[in-house]
């Protein structure tokens, strides 16, 4: 290596590059640091990992190193709290999607409930995202085959989509993420594609990949990096895929030997080098750390 045609002192050097599976964290159970069907993950202002630990009826918070910090439990509802996704706003407010009670539970980082909303509209909520443009809350409703939009104060604004295979229509939508420019990316599960809309709910384009390492059969979780790359977890086959935001397939992040099974929600970290974390749910209940810039959650 040279600078201005002059050799750099000390060359050649060996630069270690972390790639692929790094480690696993956690196990199946109900104790601190254990999980039972974890469904989603987010990063709070302290860079801790917040997990929607569905069948343990709680949110669980651990450090980036995997050390337990606290659990948030909400026992004041008619049915047990069953979080299936979580989004955290810029002021560190938690928006938990409670599938059992068909509502969004808004709380602070200590578990104090601020408000709940969505009970009048939501049929089978699965995914939640917050727009960095206007702060609106987007919820995918698998029962209604649509995306519902609320203010952060819980006012219902509108919905878009209906059940079918056409453009702008859905069949069991799952994950949702919004770019810095307001573009909405939706994992259209049974239609086996990602659909993209503008900030006015107008359909822009779709993408998928049906061959090779990029095969997308049933997309579940979705995250976006700097409006440039989109990461998708898929079921059957279970995999983590990377696309350009235009829809062009880039690469598969995981490998067959990793044993990824039923991946669900995911989120990005700002580590250098970046990492990918996922959780396995009912059968193995472990978390796997990858070298890229995503946190992933697995379900079964």
């Amino acid at each position: 290596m040279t600078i201005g045609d002059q050799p750099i002192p000390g060359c050649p050097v060996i630069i270690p590059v972390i790639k692929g599976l790094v480690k696993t964290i956690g196990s199946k159970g109900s104790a601190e640091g254990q999980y039972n069907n974890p469904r989603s993950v987010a990063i709070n202002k302290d860079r801790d990992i917040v997990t929607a630990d569905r069948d343990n009826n709680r949110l669980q918070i651990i450090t980036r190193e995997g050390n337990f910090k606290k659990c948030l439990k909400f026992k004041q509802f008619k049915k047990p709290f069953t979080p299936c996704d979580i989004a955290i706003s810029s002021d560190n407010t938690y928006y938990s999607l409670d599938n059992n009670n068909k509502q969004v539970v808004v709380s602070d980082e200590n578990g104090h409930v601020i408000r709940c909303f969505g009970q009048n509209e939501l049929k089978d909520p699965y995914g939640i995202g917050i727009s960095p443009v206007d702060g609106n809350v987007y919820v995918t409703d698998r029962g209604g085959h649509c995306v519902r939009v609320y203010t952060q104060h819980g006012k219902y604004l509108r919905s878009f989509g209906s059940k079918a295979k056409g453009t702008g229509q859905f069949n069991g939508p799952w994950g949702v993420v919004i770019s810095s420019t307001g573009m909405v990316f939706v994992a259209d599960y049974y239609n086996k594609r990602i659909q993209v809309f503008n900030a006015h709910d107008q359909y822009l384009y779709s993408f998928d990949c049906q061959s090779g390492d990029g095969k997308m059969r049933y997309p579940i979780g979705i995250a976006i990096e700097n409006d440039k790359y989109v990461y998708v977890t898929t079921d059957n086959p279970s995999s983590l895929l990377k696309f350009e935001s235009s829809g062009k397939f880039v690469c598969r992040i995981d490998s067959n030997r990793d044993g990824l099974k039923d991946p669900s929600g995911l989120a990005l970290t700002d580590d250098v080098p970046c990492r990918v974390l996922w959780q396995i749910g009912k059968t193995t209940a472990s978390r796997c750390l990858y070298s890229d810039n995503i946190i992933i959650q697995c379900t079964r």
Side-chain angles (χ1 to χ4, degrees), residues 132-286:
V133 177
D134 55 20
N136 286 339
V137 180
Y138 287 70
V139 179
T140 57
D141 191 343
R142 285 170 62 88
H145 302 282
C146 66
V147 177
R148 303 191 188 276
V149 187
Y150 300 83
T151 68
Q152 290 192 17
H153 293 286
K155 180 181 178 181
Y156 181 49
L157 299 177
R158 62 189 184 274
S159 67
F160 59 92
S162 60
K163 185 178 181 179
K165 297 180 180 180
T167 59
Q169 296 178 310
F170 303 106
N171 190 353
W174 201 307
V176 58
V177 67
I178 303 92
S179 75
S180 65
T181 59
M183 293 174 62
V184 182
F185 293 74
V186 183
D188 190 5
Y189 186 81
Y190 288 111
N191 284 329
K192 305 174 185 178
R193 64 189 178 185
I194 302 298
Q195 291 203 73
V196 186
F197 303 81
N198 65 19
H200 304 290
D201 310 335
Q202 296 169 327
Y203 171 83
L204 297 177
Y205 58 93
S206 300
F207 63 86
D208 60 13
C209 183
Q210 294 301 316
S211 62
D213 282 344
K215 189 172 183 178
M216 183 194 301
R217 288 296 301 274
Y218 298 100
I220 301 175
I222 186 168
I224 189 167
E225 175 195 359
N226 298 326
D227 294 344
K228 185 176 182 180
Y229 296 111
V230 174
Y231 297 84
V232 181
T233 54
T234 71
D235 193 9
N236 190 24
S238 296
S239 59
L240 168 61
L241 308 178
K242 181 177 182 178
F243 297 85
E244 293 181 1
S245 59
S246 63
K248 181 181 178 181
F249 175 66
V250 176
C251 67
R252 179 181 174 184
I253 302 295
D254 70 305
S255 65
N256 291 331
R257 65 178 177 272
D258 297 336
L260 176 62
K261 186 175 182 181
D262 299 320
S264 186
L266 61 149
L268 301 180
T269 74
D270 58 0
D271 296 53
V272 179
C274 295
R275 298 285 187 268
V276 178
L277 175 72
W278 81 53
Q279 289 190 330
I280 307 295
K282 288 184 177 179
T283 53
T284 56
S286 64

Side-chain angles (χ1 to χ4, degrees), residues 11-52:
C11 288
V13 296
I14 297 175
I15 302 174
V17 177
I18 302 173
K19 184 175 179 60
L21 181 63
V22 177
K23 65 178 178 179
T24 62
I25 304 170
S27 60
K28 184 176 181 178
S30 58
E32 295 178 353
Q34 294 184 318
Y35 303 92
N36 190 1
N37 193 15
R39 296 294 293 271
S40 182
V41 64
I43 305 297
N44 66 18
K45 69 175 183 179
D46 298 320
R47 303 177 73 248
D48 294 326
I49 298 167
V50 184
T51 300

